[in-house]
């Protein structure tokens, strides 16, 4: 079956702009989580959505937001972009929400969206 | 979730077994040990997980010590394509409590020809 699909794969923005990234999970997966990866901070959890509700949130400012649609597809938005937002943004889907609910806890990651802020 | 400690880097000769250690001395009884790897510029890939028994799948074996304070991921016959950063993570599964996946720095495994 198809894996996790993230779009766009690469994008360049300037400071102050906003960006929207999209993630389509594996069919049947209802949990979608987002991670930011930078050379300095490594992989950091942003938030997790399950059945259109945000259930977990990492330690990121309010400029980072997300949502999930009824078909489990998810988007994340970053407003007022800063140079430090340049990163690889990874989406992962799971049968199990991070807060439990069945499955083996295995996360399936997409290839990521690489954002460069100039 | 319990914190993990991994060596920052390791080398392994192609065709030999790669043994990657992980220390998780504060692990709780209901926390599983998960291993993921990330090949350069790709998303992390699940490898294996276990609670207290040793586990084996087509990719690797996971050996967990009896006191569960440490574990070892074994790639039995490492290839050049196994060069990646390997992450050891401990987390609760199906607990009903909110958890987030915490990645540490991982171990950069370099398989040498």
């Amino acid at each position: 079956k198809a894996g996790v699909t993230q779009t766009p794969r690469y994008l360049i923005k300037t400071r102050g702009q906003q960006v929207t990234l999209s993630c389509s999970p594996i069919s049947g997966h209802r949990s979608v989580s987002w991670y930011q990866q930078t050379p300095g901070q490594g992989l950091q959890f942003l938030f997790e959505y399950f059945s259109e509700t945000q259930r977990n949130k990492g330690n990121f400012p309010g400029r980072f937001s997300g949502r999930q649609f009824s078909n489990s597809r998810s988007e994340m938005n970053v407003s007022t972009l800063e140079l430090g937002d340049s990163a690889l943004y990874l989406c992962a889907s799971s049968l199990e929400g991070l807060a439990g609910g069945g499955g083996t806890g295995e996360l399936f990651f997409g290839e990521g969206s690489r954002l460069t802020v100039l | 979730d319990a914190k993990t400690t991994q060596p920052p880097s390791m080398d392994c000769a192609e065709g030999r077994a790669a043994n990657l250690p992980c220390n998780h001395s504060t692990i709780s009884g209901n926390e599983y040990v998960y291993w993921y790897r990330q090949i350069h510029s790709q998303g992390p890939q699940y490898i294996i997980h276990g609670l207290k028994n040793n586990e084996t799948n087509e990719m690797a074996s996971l050996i967990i010590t009896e006191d569960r304070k440490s574990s070892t991921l074994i790639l039995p016959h490492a290839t050049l394509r196994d060069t990646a950063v390997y992450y050891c993570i401990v987390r609760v599964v199906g607990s009903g409590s909110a958890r987030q996946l915490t990645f540490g720095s991982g171990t950069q495994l370099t398989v040498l020809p």
Side-chain angles (χ1 to χ4, degrees), chain B residues 38-53:
Chain B
Q38 186 174 26
I39 297 170
H40 183 63
S41 295
Q42 296 182 20
Q45 176 191 24
Y46 165 84
I47 301 173
I48 198 167
H49 76 282
L51 183 62
K52 53 184 177 182
N53 298 320

Side-chain angles (χ1 to χ4, degrees), chain B residues 1 10 28 35 38 62 65 81-82 93 95 97 104 110 112:
Chain B
D1 293 334
M10 293 182 63
S28 300
W35 284 84
Q38 186 174 26
L62 174 60
T65 58
R81 286 176 292 184
D82 292 322
V93 176
S95 70
S97 301
T110 301
L112 304 171

